[in-house]
Structure formats: C-alpha cells, structure tokens
Amino acid sequence: DGLRYFDKPVSVVPPGGSTTGIFTKGAEIRGIDVLCLDLYDDPDFASEFLELFTDLTLSRIRAWAGLVGAGEPGRPTPDGFHFCDDSIQILSPDLYERFVMPCHDRLYRAMTTGARKLHLCGHASQHFEVLTDRLGVTAIDGPGTFVDHGNYLSRFGTGFSFAAQMDHGIL
C-alpha cells in the first residue's frame, strides 16, 4: 500500500485470478503431440483428461481467491473473465467443439456472469465463429495482422471487439 513508481501509484493484482487455457496446459503436461494423438486414438481418455484439468484449474483459482481475499471463492462474478488458450490454433473446429469448448464453457460459467474474453495467439480464426456464436465470447485478444479484423467485426456486430496485436515493423 502506498508505493509509487515515477509518481504513479503501484497497484497489486492478487495472483491466481485467471489461467492459461485448458488445452494449452494439458499439452504442456502431456506433450502436444501425445495429447493430439489421444484425441484420435483414445478420445475417452482425452475428454476425461481435459475435464480433470478443468476441475483442477477451477480448484486452483478458487484456492487463490480464498487465500488473497478476492471475493467469494467459487461464486461467479459479473466482472467478466479473461484467459488464454493459444494451443487451440492447432485444432480443427470440430475437435475444439468436441473436446475443449465444454471445458471453456465450464470455466466461464464458474467464473463469471459477465463478459467472456479470450486471448489467442497464432492462426486461430477457424474458431472465431464457434467462440462467438456458441460460447458467447465477446472479445478476442491477440490475433495478428493476418486476420481480417474488419470482416469479423462486421459479422459479429457491435458487441464484439478485438484487442489486436501487431508486428511493430508493420506499423
């Protein structure tokens, strides 16, 4: 409390309020190649693994909320929720819908009654329609210059936004 840096107040954000995405973290633990093979060779295991990882992620977020006094652990807030899941860029829309979207939906429902935001790096535009139409994502952070932002903004309407990140050399 009371710290300043260059005459600006320092705000301390409590840890643990968000997460790296379910598929990305699952891929880090299992190995991206092995997890992708699981989707085809053992889809029941893949579903159980991603669901378990969703449960553990929610438990971790709730534990942090309880430790730092950030609201009531386990109660969704109207503040909105933002996380990232960069590794979904390697999935087809069908695989995303079948395996990952239910986990993302559980995460959003557990954390917020407000805006659903998602950070995606890389080439993930194959998921934009599913994310907005089926999952209710209203803001996507991260898509680069290779995305036709104008096209998606006009298709998804005024309730949708991008926080597009650009290569500084292009700017």
Side-chain angles (χ1 to χ4, degrees):
D1 274 346
L3 291 177
R4 300 182 72 74
Y5 184 75
F6 284 95
D7 292 324
K8 297 196 185 299
V10 174
S11 64
V12 178
V13 177
S18 189
T19 186
T20 297
I22 302 302
F23 191 74
T24 299
K25 264 306 180 190
E28 289 174 3
I29 290 169
R30 187 106 173 102
I32 192 77
D33 52 343
V34 174
L35 183 55
C36 287
L37 289 171
D38 290 338
L39 298 175
Y40 288 98
D41 293 338
D42 196 350
D44 291 338
F45 170 80
S47 289
E48 289 177 28
F49 177 76
L50 293 170
E51 288 294 329
L52 174 64
F53 203 80
T54 303
D55 292 340
L56 295 173
T57 298
L58 287 168
S59 294
R60 179 187 47 80
I61 292 171
R62 289 176 179 134
W64 271 111
L67 287 171
V68 300
E72 293 181 58
R75 308 256 352 230
T77 70
D79 300 334
F81 188 67
H82 184 198
F83 66 98
C84 63
D85 209 341
D86 294 332
S87 294
I88 69 167
Q89 69 178 305
I90 67 171
L91 296 177
S92 69
D94 291 341
L95 287 175
Y96 171 76
E97 279 190 78
R98 179 176 174 192
F99 292 101
V100 183
M101 189 176 77
C103 300
H104 283 176
D105 188 48
R106 278 188 52 218
L107 192 57
Y108 281 125
R109 281 186 287 115
M111 299 307 301
T112 190
T113 57
R116 294 177 170 201
K117 302 175 183 179
L118 186 63
H119 171 86
L120 297 171
C121 281
H123 295 271
S125 60
Q126 72 271 25
H127 301 301
F128 290 178
E129 289 176 6
V130 169
L131 292 170
T132 58
D133 297 345
R134 302 257 335 267
L135 194 56
V137 170
T138 57
I140 295 176
D141 173 59
T145 56
F146 45 81
V147 171
D148 185 348
H149 297 93
N151 172 50
Y152 289 109
L153 288 169
S154 64
R155 284 171 64 191
F156 299 145
T158 58
F160 178 80
S161 66
F162 279 113
Q165 297 173 10
M166 302 288 185
D167 181 325
H168 294 93
I170 292 171
L171 295 177

